[in-house]
Amino acid sequence: MTPLEENLLSVLRSELWQTPLQLSLSPKEAEELLNEAREHAVEPLAARALVDNNVPIGKQLVPRCLYAIQHTREGNDHLNGELARFAPFIERQGLSLAVVKGQVSGTFYAHPEVRNPGDIDFYCDAENFPRVKEVVEKQIGRTIPDSKGKHINFQGNGVEYEMHSRLTDFYYAPHQRYFNAVVDEALQKRPMRVKINEADVPTLPPDLNILFTYIHMFFHLIRGGVGIRQVCDLACSLHALHNELDTDLLRQHLKALGMENGFRAFGWILIHRLGLPAEDFPYTLNQKDARRGERAYRAVMRFGNLGRKIDLLIKEENAAHTVQTALGVLKQSVLFFDFAPTEMACIFPVQTMQKAKALFGK
């Protein structure tokens, strides 16, 4: 681990778990830390830890920290206000939805206002999806184009929404059927709610909240890269939901999806790099988990948030870019084959066929 990584992890542990930060940085080291934090979409978290703990960073960097904190707070305030309006409005129409990731994940942080905001993702089952789409189209005054993918997109009051008919795409069909079924059953029988701007916002129950956070992160790791922010999301959800989590049910889901190895590997990162209390993690880890965890950690630090640290040779969307992407997926699926063997065995042929169809229109 490099000194830069040690500094970044120190400030993140302080912010995530609200522990004192004893850190001495030169202005150059502080700037490098903030730059690295930005690559992983955690600059506001790092800035908050530095400011709250009065870490000397040099006068020139103080405005940067304060701006990162304030700008992120304003972004979260806007998204929270929209979400607190939108979700109850849909429910008042007699319809159902489940908000995932994003602002829901933020509620699990000690300071939700400094988690980098993005868009609003929500899921509707097969019965509710077309009806919610119709209601939204009336509200925004335009038709939302259909998509063959797992979600459609629309904008409202300056906010990007993703409306999911599937939360994620598996590459092994039985896994897809299993996950879709447990999600729909859980939302009917045991939905969970989180408080956002005094509104009770529907979301997934604890076991599926954590499961989906992990699956989403893992597939991003394979398809293009994932940064430390997504790992922080998983850490905070496990910590915040620890007392409510049915660990046996979570382990059952992971086993059914063939993803226990990968989850345990990331557990090593959570505990030994981000400082998650071991009792918050649903498995007891061993040396094999440690070796896998170190492998995943190195990939996370190399890629940055959604692969932004990787400089692709071909950026234009063309046949060469498709080949480049496919080779990247192949490399990652081989590197992390033991994290989810069945999915990794299927991902390359399935994704290659999908990209070929999209490229050549067949």
Side-chain angles (χ1 to χ4, degrees):
M1 189 190 309
T2 67
L4 175 58
E5 289 175 11
E6 290 180 356
N7 290 338
L8 176 59
L9 293 173
S10 292
V11 298
L12 290 177
R13 286 192 294 266
S14 174
E15 173 57 27
L16 294 181
W17 318 123
Q18 294 299 285
T19 54
L21 177 61
Q22 301 295 330
L23 193 61
S24 177
L25 298 172
S26 69
K28 181 181 179 182
E29 289 172 329
E31 184 175 18
E32 290 174 345
L33 187 158
L34 290 171
N35 289 342
E36 182 70 5
R38 177 177 290 177
E39 293 296 318
H40 287 272
V42 291
E43 185 179 7
L45 294 171
R48 178 70 185 255
L50 294 172
V51 170
D52 283 358
N53 288 275
N54 297 309
V55 177
I57 57 175
K59 291 183 179 180
Q60 291 183 334
L61 290 177
V62 172
R64 174 176 173 176
C65 286
L66 295 178
Y67 174 80
I69 294 168
Q70 181 60 27
H71 180 71
T72 306
R73 177 185 290 115
E74 291 172 355
N76 277 306
D77 285 346
H78 181 57
L79 258 69
N80 286 340
E82 281 301 304
L83 182 54
R85 177 197 63 80
F86 177 77
F89 168 75
I90 294 297
E91 292 193 304
R92 285 196 300 270
Q93 314 309 307
L95 304 172
S96 297
L97 76 164
V99 181
V100 296
K101 302 189 300 178
Q103 301 312 103
V104 169
S105 295
T107 66
F108 304 139
Y109 280 68
H111 294 129
E113 69 275 11
V114 289
R115 180 193 178 274
N116 255 3
D119 50 19
I120 292 177
D121 293 76
F122 66 98
Y123 168 77
C124 296
D125 62 19
E127 179 183 350
N128 283 275
F129 190 90
R131 298 163 63 197
V132 172
K133 181 174 181 285
E134 183 180 353
V135 167
V136 170
E137 287 174 336
K138 289 180 180 178
Q139 284 292 304
I140 64 176
R142 63 180 180 84
T143 300
I144 304 171
D146 291 324
S147 170
K148 294 181 180 179
K150 62 181 182 291
H151 61 74
I152 57 176
N153 301 73
F154 63 92
Q155 266 196 349
N157 294 327
V159 172
E160 292 283 344
Y161 287 84
E162 289 188 358
M163 178 177 167
H164 292 253
S165 58
R166 300 184 306 278
L167 280 177
T168 192
D169 284 329
F170 288 89
Y171 296 90
Y172 182 55
H175 289 171
Q176 188 75 62
R177 290 193 293 269
Y178 175 88
F179 185 75
N180 291 351
V182 296
V183 166
D184 286 347
E185 181 182 15
L187 292 177
Q188 289 179 3
K189 296 182 178 179
R190 51 186 187 93
M192 184 177 84
R193 290 180 176 269
V194 294
K195 189 75 74 174
I196 295 179
N197 278 22
E198 302 306 315
D200 287 322
V201 174
T203 187
L204 301 171
D207 56 301
L208 294 179
N209 223 303
I210 291 167
L211 179 67
F212 176 59
T213 299
Y214 170 71
I215 291 172
H216 179 75
M217 176 184 67
F218 177 69
F219 279 144
H220 266 301
L221 174 68
I222 301 302
R223 295 168 185 155
V226 70
I228 203 69
R229 187 193 75 163
Q230 286 78 14
V231 187
C232 289
D233 282 354
L234 183 58
C236 290
S237 62
L238 279 162
H239 184 67
L241 298 172
H242 174 66
N243 292 330
E244 306 165 52
L245 175 63
D246 185 333
T247 56
D248 289 338
L249 193 53
L250 175 60
R251 287 193 290 257
Q252 175 184 314
H253 296 326
L254 287 164
K255 184 176 181 179
L257 296 170
M259 291 184 151
E260 283 185 301
N261 287 349
F263 189 81
R264 292 171 65 109
F266 272 90
W268 182 87
I269 301 176
L270 301 181
I271 295 168
H272 296 281
R273 291 292 181 262
L274 282 179
L276 176 74
E279 59 269 22
D280 289 349
F281 195 71
Y283 292 93
T284 299
L285 303 181
N286 55 40
Q287 285 302 310
K288 187 175 288 187
D289 298 321
R291 289 193 294 271
R292 288 174 175 147
E294 181 62 33
R295 196 194 323 156
Y297 170 74
R298 294 262 42 96
V300 168
M301 299 310 293
R302 182 167 64 90
F303 278 104
N305 187 55
L306 304 182
R308 66 195 290 175
K309 292 179 70 176
I310 301 299
D311 187 19
L312 296 175
L313 294 175
I314 304 165
K315 297 179 174 62
E316 184 181 352
E317 292 284 347
N318 54 28
H321 182 275
T322 298
V323 172
Q324 175 183 253
T325 301
L327 290 175
V329 171
L330 175 61
K331 180 180 178 180
Q332 290 297 93
S333 63
V334 170
L335 181 61
F336 296 107
F337 186 87
D338 53 342
F339 281 44
T342 303
E343 284 296 314
M344 294 303 93
C346 296
I347 187 172
F348 183 68
V350 170
Q351 192 168 58
T352 300
M353 186 178 297
Q354 290 173 346
K355 287 187 176 296
K357 287 181 178 179
L359 185 65
F360 299 109
K362 294 181 180 179

